[in-house]
Amino acid sequence: MQAISDGNLAAILRDAARLSPAEGWFGATANQLICAKLAKTAVSLAEVSALSAAFLSERRAAVKNILGDHAFMSDNTEFAFLPVAESFAYAYVQDNTAAILLSLGLVEALRFSCLSGQLASAARRLQSDPALNAAISPAARDTLSAELRLMTAYFNACTVLYFHSPFPLPNVTAALDPHILHQTDVTLQAVLMFVILHEMGHVHFYRNQRPLPSPGLVWEFAVPEMLDARKEEELYADRFALSSVPAAFRLPLVHAATFFLHFHNYVDVAKNAPPGIPCP
Protein backbone atom coordinates (compact mmCIF):
# COMPACT_ATOMS: atom_id res chain seq x y z
CA MET A 1 0.00 0.00 0.00
CA GLN A 2 1.27 3.46 -0.88
CA ALA A 3 0.07 7.01 -0.41
CA ILE A 4 -2.62 8.02 -2.84
CA SER A 5 -1.78 10.19 -5.82
CA ASP A 6 -3.61 13.48 -6.18
CA GLY A 7 -5.11 12.34 -9.47
CA ASN A 8 -6.55 9.14 -8.02
CA LEU A 9 -7.83 11.00 -4.96
CA ALA A 10 -9.66 13.47 -7.21
CA ALA A 11 -11.27 10.57 -9.08
CA ILE A 12 -12.36 8.84 -5.86
CA LEU A 13 -13.86 12.04 -4.44
CA ARG A 14 -15.78 12.62 -7.67
CA ASP A 15 -17.09 9.07 -7.48
CA ALA A 16 -17.94 9.40 -3.78
CA ALA A 17 -19.93 12.57 -4.37
CA ARG A 18 -22.32 10.79 -6.72
CA LEU A 19 -22.96 7.73 -4.53
CA SER A 20 -26.53 7.22 -3.34
CA PRO A 21 -27.35 6.30 0.28
CA ALA A 22 -28.13 2.75 -0.86
CA GLU A 23 -24.56 2.41 -2.09
CA GLY A 24 -23.18 3.12 1.34
CA TRP A 25 -20.22 5.18 2.44
CA PHE A 26 -21.86 8.17 4.19
CA GLY A 27 -24.87 8.60 1.92
CA ALA A 28 -25.06 11.16 -0.86
CA THR A 29 -25.49 14.24 1.36
CA ALA A 30 -22.54 13.45 3.61
CA ASN A 31 -20.39 12.46 0.61
CA GLN A 32 -20.98 15.82 -1.01
CA LEU A 33 -20.44 17.67 2.28
CA ILE A 34 -17.05 16.07 2.87
CA CYS A 35 -15.96 16.63 -0.73
CA ALA A 36 -17.08 20.26 -0.50
CA LYS A 37 -15.28 20.80 2.83
CA LEU A 38 -12.06 19.33 1.45
CA ALA A 39 -12.38 21.51 -1.65
CA LYS A 40 -12.80 24.64 0.50
CA THR A 41 -9.74 24.05 2.66
CA ALA A 42 -6.40 25.61 1.84
CA VAL A 43 -5.00 22.10 1.43
CA SER A 44 -4.46 21.00 -2.16
CA LEU A 45 -4.89 17.41 -3.31
CA ALA A 46 -1.13 17.22 -3.82
CA GLU A 47 -0.66 18.27 -0.19
CA VAL A 48 -3.20 15.64 0.91
CA SER A 49 -1.11 13.08 -0.98
CA ALA A 50 2.05 14.23 0.84
CA LEU A 51 0.20 14.24 4.17
CA SER A 52 -1.02 10.70 3.47
CA ALA A 53 2.55 9.55 2.75
CA ALA A 54 3.78 11.06 6.03
CA PHE A 55 0.91 9.57 8.05
CA LEU A 56 1.38 6.10 6.53
CA SER A 57 5.13 6.31 7.16
CA GLU A 58 4.51 7.19 10.81
CA ARG A 59 2.10 4.29 11.21
CA ARG A 60 4.60 1.87 9.70
CA ALA A 61 7.33 3.11 12.02
CA ALA A 62 4.99 2.73 15.01
CA VAL A 63 4.21 -0.94 14.25
CA LYS A 64 7.58 -2.03 12.84
CA ASN A 65 8.38 -4.16 15.89
CA ILE A 66 5.08 -6.00 15.45
CA LEU A 67 4.46 -6.21 11.70
CA GLY A 68 8.03 -5.89 10.45
CA ASP A 69 9.39 -3.80 7.61
CA HIS A 70 6.51 -4.62 5.27
CA ALA A 71 3.61 -3.43 7.38
CA PHE A 72 0.35 -2.55 5.63
CA MET A 73 1.45 -3.98 2.29
CA SER A 74 -1.32 -4.51 -0.27
CA ASP A 75 -0.87 -4.57 -4.02
CA ASN A 76 -2.71 -1.94 -6.06
CA THR A 77 -4.01 -0.26 -2.91
CA GLU A 78 -3.52 3.38 -1.98
CA PHE A 79 -3.95 5.21 1.30
CA ALA A 80 -5.48 8.65 1.87
CA PHE A 81 -5.44 10.62 5.11
CA LEU A 82 -8.04 13.36 4.77
CA PRO A 83 -7.75 16.50 6.93
CA VAL A 84 -11.47 16.85 7.61
CA ALA A 85 -13.24 16.87 10.97
CA GLU A 86 -15.83 14.22 10.07
CA SER A 87 -15.11 10.74 11.48
CA PHE A 88 -14.77 7.91 8.99
CA ALA A 89 -12.62 5.08 7.69
CA TYR A 90 -13.56 3.62 4.36
CA ALA A 91 -12.31 1.03 1.87
CA TYR A 92 -12.94 2.01 -1.74
CA VAL A 93 -12.62 -0.75 -4.35
CA GLN A 94 -13.04 -0.22 -8.06
CA ASP A 95 -11.84 -2.75 -10.64
CA ASN A 96 -8.19 -3.60 -9.91
CA THR A 97 -7.44 -0.57 -7.77
CA ALA A 98 -8.43 0.19 -4.21
CA ALA A 99 -7.97 2.90 -1.64
CA ILE A 100 -8.32 3.17 2.12
CA LEU A 101 -9.50 6.57 3.33
CA LEU A 102 -9.06 7.66 6.93
CA SER A 103 -10.04 11.02 8.38
CA LEU A 104 -8.32 13.23 10.92
CA GLY A 105 -11.67 13.45 12.70
CA LEU A 106 -11.75 9.71 13.36
CA VAL A 107 -8.19 9.77 14.71
CA GLU A 108 -9.11 12.55 17.15
CA ALA A 109 -12.32 10.82 18.20
CA LEU A 110 -10.40 7.60 18.81
CA ARG A 111 -7.81 9.53 20.81
CA PHE A 112 -10.55 10.70 23.17
CA SER A 113 -11.96 7.16 23.33
CA CYS A 114 -8.51 5.84 24.33
CA LEU A 115 -8.14 8.64 26.87
CA SER A 116 -11.50 7.73 28.35
CA GLY A 117 -10.31 4.15 28.70
CA GLN A 118 -7.16 5.25 30.52
CA LEU A 119 -9.20 7.30 32.99
CA ALA A 120 -11.57 4.39 33.58
CA SER A 121 -8.56 2.16 34.22
CA ALA A 122 -7.15 4.70 36.69
CA ALA A 123 -10.48 4.75 38.53
CA ARG A 124 -10.46 0.96 38.85
CA ARG A 125 -6.88 0.98 40.08
CA LEU A 126 -7.74 3.61 42.66
CA GLN A 127 -10.32 1.23 44.13
CA SER A 128 -8.20 -1.93 44.05
CA ASP A 129 -4.53 -0.95 44.53
CA PRO A 130 -3.51 -1.55 48.19
CA ALA A 131 -0.63 0.95 48.02
CA LEU A 132 -2.89 3.74 46.78
CA ASN A 133 -5.51 2.94 49.39
CA ALA A 134 -2.88 3.08 52.12
CA ALA A 135 -1.53 6.42 50.89
CA ILE A 136 -4.79 8.37 50.87
CA SER A 137 -7.83 8.57 53.09
CA PRO A 138 -11.10 6.82 52.16
CA ALA A 139 -12.77 10.21 51.69
CA ALA A 140 -10.03 11.40 49.31
CA ARG A 141 -10.21 8.11 47.42
CA ASP A 142 -13.97 8.41 46.99
CA THR A 143 -13.65 12.00 45.81
CA LEU A 144 -10.97 11.09 43.27
CA SER A 145 -13.00 8.10 42.07
CA ALA A 146 -16.05 10.27 41.52
CA GLU A 147 -14.00 12.86 39.63
CA LEU A 148 -12.43 10.20 37.40
CA ARG A 149 -15.84 8.72 36.61
CA LEU A 150 -17.14 12.18 35.77
CA MET A 151 -14.16 12.87 33.50
CA THR A 152 -14.63 9.50 31.80
CA ALA A 153 -18.28 10.27 31.13
CA TYR A 154 -17.32 13.72 29.86
CA PHE A 155 -14.79 12.33 27.38
CA ASN A 156 -17.28 9.70 26.20
CA ALA A 157 -19.87 12.41 25.65
CA CYS A 158 -17.37 14.59 23.78
CA THR A 159 -16.50 11.68 21.51
CA VAL A 160 -20.12 10.96 20.58
CA LEU A 161 -21.07 14.60 20.13
CA TYR A 162 -17.96 15.16 18.00
CA PHE A 163 -18.91 12.22 15.79
CA HIS A 164 -22.35 13.68 15.12
CA SER A 165 -21.30 17.31 14.78
CA PRO A 166 -17.53 18.01 14.87
CA PHE A 167 -16.39 20.84 17.13
CA PRO A 168 -13.05 21.86 18.67
CA LEU A 169 -12.34 19.17 21.24
CA PRO A 170 -11.06 20.34 24.63
CA ASN A 171 -7.29 20.59 24.96
CA VAL A 172 -6.69 18.46 28.04
CA THR A 173 -2.99 17.73 27.58
CA ALA A 174 -1.79 20.18 30.22
CA ALA A 175 -4.28 18.91 32.80
CA LEU A 176 -3.38 15.22 32.63
CA ASP A 177 -0.53 13.13 33.93
CA PRO A 178 2.23 12.50 31.34
CA HIS A 179 1.99 8.76 32.00
CA ILE A 180 -1.71 8.72 31.10
CA LEU A 181 -1.02 10.73 27.95
CA HIS A 182 1.78 8.32 26.98
CA GLN A 183 -0.42 5.27 27.56
CA THR A 184 -3.18 6.94 25.55
CA ASP A 185 -0.80 7.42 22.62
CA VAL A 186 0.43 3.82 22.82
CA THR A 187 -3.15 2.56 22.82
CA LEU A 188 -4.10 4.86 19.95
CA GLN A 189 -1.26 3.46 17.81
CA ALA A 190 -2.62 -0.05 18.36
CA VAL A 191 -6.18 1.08 17.59
CA LEU A 192 -5.04 2.72 14.34
CA MET A 193 -3.23 -0.50 13.44
CA PHE A 194 -6.49 -2.38 13.87
CA VAL A 195 -8.47 0.18 11.85
CA ILE A 196 -6.05 0.12 8.91
CA LEU A 197 -5.80 -3.69 8.92
CA HIS A 198 -9.60 -3.92 9.20
CA GLU A 199 -10.04 -1.70 6.15
CA MET A 200 -7.45 -3.77 4.31
CA GLY A 201 -9.64 -6.73 5.20
CA HIS A 202 -12.54 -5.09 3.35
CA VAL A 203 -10.32 -4.68 0.29
CA HIS A 204 -9.29 -8.33 0.56
CA PHE A 205 -12.95 -9.35 0.90
CA TYR A 206 -14.02 -7.58 -2.28
CA ARG A 207 -11.07 -8.92 -4.23
CA ASN A 208 -11.20 -12.51 -3.00
CA GLN A 209 -14.41 -13.23 -1.06
CA ARG A 210 -12.99 -16.44 0.32
CA PRO A 211 -12.65 -17.50 3.97
CA LEU A 212 -9.49 -16.64 5.85
CA PRO A 213 -7.67 -19.12 8.08
CA SER A 214 -9.01 -18.99 11.61
CA PRO A 215 -6.86 -16.77 13.85
CA GLY A 216 -7.53 -19.09 16.76
CA LEU A 217 -10.18 -16.89 18.35
CA VAL A 218 -13.88 -17.60 18.61
CA TRP A 219 -16.18 -14.68 17.90
CA GLU A 220 -19.47 -14.81 19.77
CA PHE A 221 -22.33 -12.42 20.23
CA ALA A 222 -23.48 -11.62 23.74
CA VAL A 223 -27.08 -11.60 22.53
CA PRO A 224 -28.75 -13.44 19.64
CA GLU A 225 -28.19 -11.52 16.40
CA MET A 226 -28.93 -12.17 12.75
CA LEU A 227 -25.79 -12.22 10.61
CA ASP A 228 -26.59 -10.46 7.34
CA ALA A 229 -24.12 -10.04 4.48
CA ARG A 230 -22.84 -6.73 5.85
CA LYS A 231 -22.09 -8.17 9.28
CA GLU A 232 -20.42 -11.19 7.71
CA GLU A 233 -18.15 -8.82 5.81
CA GLU A 234 -17.30 -6.94 9.01
CA LEU A 235 -16.39 -10.19 10.75
CA TYR A 236 -14.28 -11.14 7.74
CA ALA A 237 -12.41 -7.82 8.04
CA ASP A 238 -11.91 -8.42 11.78
CA ARG A 239 -10.50 -11.89 11.10
CA PHE A 240 -8.21 -10.44 8.44
CA ALA A 241 -6.84 -7.91 10.92
CA LEU A 242 -6.21 -10.59 13.54
CA SER A 243 -4.59 -12.95 11.03
CA SER A 244 -2.24 -10.15 9.93
CA VAL A 245 -0.41 -9.88 13.26
CA PRO A 246 1.81 -12.42 15.05
CA ALA A 247 -0.08 -14.83 17.29
CA ALA A 248 1.43 -13.24 20.41
CA PHE A 249 -0.10 -9.88 19.50
CA ARG A 250 -3.61 -11.06 18.67
CA LEU A 251 -4.94 -10.57 22.17
CA PRO A 252 -3.49 -7.02 22.44
CA LEU A 253 -5.01 -6.26 19.03
CA VAL A 254 -8.41 -7.46 20.26
CA HIS A 255 -7.95 -5.16 23.24
CA ALA A 256 -7.16 -2.27 20.86
CA ALA A 257 -10.21 -3.12 18.76
CA THR A 258 -12.45 -2.76 21.82
CA PHE A 259 -11.63 0.96 21.98
CA PHE A 260 -12.85 1.35 18.41
CA LEU A 261 -15.95 -0.74 19.15
CA HIS A 262 -16.49 1.09 22.45
CA PHE A 263 -16.61 4.35 20.52
CA HIS A 264 -19.10 2.97 18.02
CA ASN A 265 -21.25 1.43 20.75
CA TYR A 266 -21.83 4.89 22.21
CA VAL A 267 -22.55 6.28 18.73
CA ASP A 268 -25.05 3.48 18.05
CA VAL A 269 -26.81 4.08 21.36
CA ALA A 270 -27.13 7.78 20.54
CA LYS A 271 -28.50 6.99 17.08
CA ASN A 272 -31.11 4.61 18.50
CA ALA A 273 -32.23 6.86 21.36
CA PRO A 274 -35.91 6.27 22.24
CA PRO A 275 -38.52 8.86 21.23
CA GLY A 276 -38.43 11.95 23.39
CA ILE A 277 -34.66 11.88 23.90
CA PRO A 278 -33.11 14.20 21.30
CA CYS A 279 -30.13 12.88 19.40
CA PRO A 280 -27.28 15.35 18.81
mmCIF file of all heavy atoms in Angstrom, residues 16-21 24 26-33:
data_model
loop_
_atom_site.group_PDB
_atom_site.id
_atom_site.type_symbol
_atom_site.label_atom_id
_atom_site.label_comp_id
_atom_site.label_asym_id
_atom_site.label_seq_id
_atom_site.Cartn_x
_atom_site.Cartn_y
_atom_site.Cartn_z
ATOM 1 N N ALA A 16 -17.251 9.411 -5.070
ATOM 2 C CA ALA A 16 -17.936 9.401 -3.778
ATOM 3 C C ALA A 16 -19.084 10.396 -3.753
ATOM 4 O O ALA A 16 -20.131 10.141 -3.153
ATOM 5 C CB ALA A 16 -16.948 9.719 -2.661
ATOM 6 N N ALA A 17 -18.907 11.534 -4.412
ATOM 7 C CA ALA A 17 -19.933 12.571 -4.375
ATOM 8 C C ALA A 17 -21.214 12.151 -5.078
ATOM 9 O O ALA A 17 -22.280 12.685 -4.784
ATOM 10 C CB ALA A 17 -19.390 13.850 -5.003
ATOM 11 N N ARG A 18 -21.121 11.193 -5.974
ATOM 12 C CA ARG A 18 -22.323 10.794 -6.715
ATOM 13 C C ARG A 18 -23.016 9.575 -6.109
ATOM 14 O O ARG A 18 -24.101 9.196 -6.530
ATOM 15 C CB ARG A 18 -21.953 10.465 -8.171
ATOM 16 C CG ARG A 18 -21.102 9.210 -8.293
ATOM 17 C CD ARG A 18 -21.020 8.690 -9.723
ATOM 18 N NE ARG A 18 -20.242 7.465 -9.767
ATOM 19 C CZ ARG A 18 -20.718 6.274 -9.417
ATOM 20 N NH1 ARG A 18 -21.947 6.168 -8.966
ATOM 21 N NH2 ARG A 18 -19.943 5.208 -9.479
ATOM 22 N N LEU A 19 -22.387 8.949 -5.094
ATOM 23 C CA LEU A 19 -22.965 7.732 -4.529
ATOM 24 C C LEU A 19 -24.302 8.027 -3.859
ATOM 25 O O LEU A 19 -24.481 9.035 -3.194
ATOM 26 C CB LEU A 19 -22.014 7.102 -3.505
ATOM 27 C CG LEU A 19 -20.738 6.473 -4.057
ATOM 28 C CD1 LEU A 19 -19.891 5.960 -2.911
ATOM 29 C CD2 LEU A 19 -21.047 5.341 -5.022
ATOM 30 N N SER A 20 -25.232 7.103 -4.011
ATOM 31 C CA SER A 20 -26.529 7.220 -3.341
ATOM 32 C C SER A 20 -26.436 6.585 -1.964
ATOM 33 O O SER A 20 -25.544 5.785 -1.702
ATOM 34 C CB SER A 20 -27.606 6.516 -4.168
ATOM 35 O OG SER A 20 -27.399 5.112 -4.128
ATOM 36 N N PRO A 21 -27.379 6.912 -1.051
ATOM 37 C CA PRO A 21 -27.352 6.296 0.280
ATOM 38 C C PRO A 21 -27.372 4.776 0.229
ATOM 39 O O PRO A 21 -26.774 4.119 1.057
ATOM 40 C CB PRO A 21 -28.606 6.864 0.951
ATOM 41 C CG PRO A 21 -28.837 8.167 0.257
ATOM 42 C CD PRO A 21 -28.410 7.938 -1.175
ATOM 43 N N GLY A 24 -24.033 3.095 0.163
ATOM 44 C CA GLY A 24 -23.184 3.120 1.344
ATOM 45 C C GLY A 24 -22.336 4.362 1.475
ATOM 46 O O GLY A 24 -22.764 5.453 1.126
ATOM 47 N N PHE A 26 -21.146 7.339 3.219
ATOM 48 C CA PHE A 26 -21.859 8.166 4.186
ATOM 49 C C PHE A 26 -23.262 8.513 3.723
ATOM 50 O O PHE A 26 -24.001 9.175 4.418
ATOM 51 C CB PHE A 26 -21.107 9.482 4.417
ATOM 52 C CG PHE A 26 -19.659 9.289 4.668
ATOM 53 C CD1 PHE A 26 -18.747 9.491 3.656
ATOM 54 C CD2 PHE A 26 -19.210 8.864 5.907
ATOM 55 C CE1 PHE A 26 -17.397 9.284 3.886
ATOM 56 C CE2 PHE A 26 -17.863 8.657 6.125
ATOM 57 C CZ PHE A 26 -16.962 8.871 5.123
ATOM 58 N N GLY A 27 -23.636 8.099 2.520
ATOM 59 C CA GLY A 27 -24.866 8.605 1.924
ATOM 60 C C GLY A 27 -24.536 9.834 1.087
ATOM 61 O O GLY A 27 -23.530 10.506 1.305
ATOM 62 N N ALA A 28 -25.374 10.122 0.122
ATOM 63 C CA ALA A 28 -25.065 11.164 -0.858
ATOM 64 C C ALA A 28 -24.808 12.516 -0.208
ATOM 65 O O ALA A 28 -23.866 13.216 -0.570
ATOM 66 C CB ALA A 28 -26.206 11.264 -1.866
ATOM 67 N N THR A 29 -25.641 12.906 0.753
ATOM 68 C CA THR A 29 -25.493 14.238 1.359
ATOM 69 C C THR A 29 -24.158 14.378 2.074
ATOM 70 O O THR A 29 -23.439 15.360 1.890
ATOM 71 C CB THR A 29 -26.636 14.508 2.349
ATOM 72 O OG1 THR A 29 -27.878 14.408 1.656
ATOM 73 C CG2 THR A 29 -26.507 15.893 2.953
ATOM 74 N N ALA A 30 -23.801 13.382 2.872
ATOM 75 C CA ALA A 30 -22.537 13.445 3.606
ATOM 76 C C ALA A 30 -21.348 13.369 2.654
ATOM 77 O O ALA A 30 -20.329 14.037 2.857
ATOM 78 C CB ALA A 30 -22.468 12.319 4.636
ATOM 79 N N ASN A 31 -21.460 12.530 1.606
ATOM 80 C CA ASN A 31 -20.388 12.463 0.607
ATOM 81 C C ASN A 31 -20.088 13.844 0.046
ATOM 82 O O ASN A 31 -18.949 14.297 -0.012
ATOM 83 C CB ASN A 31 -20.800 11.550 -0.560
ATOM 84 C CG ASN A 31 -20.739 10.089 -0.196
ATOM 85 O OD1 ASN A 31 -20.021 9.709 0.703
ATOM 86 N ND2 ASN A 31 -21.490 9.280 -0.901
ATOM 87 N N GLN A 32 -21.143 14.522 -0.386
ATOM 88 C CA GLN A 32 -20.977 15.824 -1.014
ATOM 89 C C GLN A 32 -20.455 16.852 -0.017
ATOM 90 O O GLN A 32 -19.644 17.716 -0.364
ATOM 91 C CB GLN A 32 -22.311 16.270 -1.619
ATOM 92 C CG GLN A 32 -22.743 15.388 -2.783
ATOM 93 C CD GLN A 32 -24.230 15.477 -3.080
ATOM 94 O OE1 GLN A 32 -24.935 16.254 -2.466
ATOM 95 N NE2 GLN A 32 -24.690 14.665 -4.018
ATOM 96 N N LEU A 33 -20.904 16.744 1.248
ATOM 97 C CA LEU A 33 -20.443 17.670 2.276
ATOM 98 C C LEU A 33 -18.946 17.529 2.492
ATOM 99 O O LEU A 33 -18.215 18.530 2.545
ATOM 100 C CB LEU A 33 -21.190 17.410 3.587
ATOM 101 C CG LEU A 33 -20.725 18.213 4.808
ATOM 102 C CD1 LEU A 33 -20.960 19.699 4.578
ATOM 103 C CD2 LEU A 33 -21.449 17.744 6.062
#
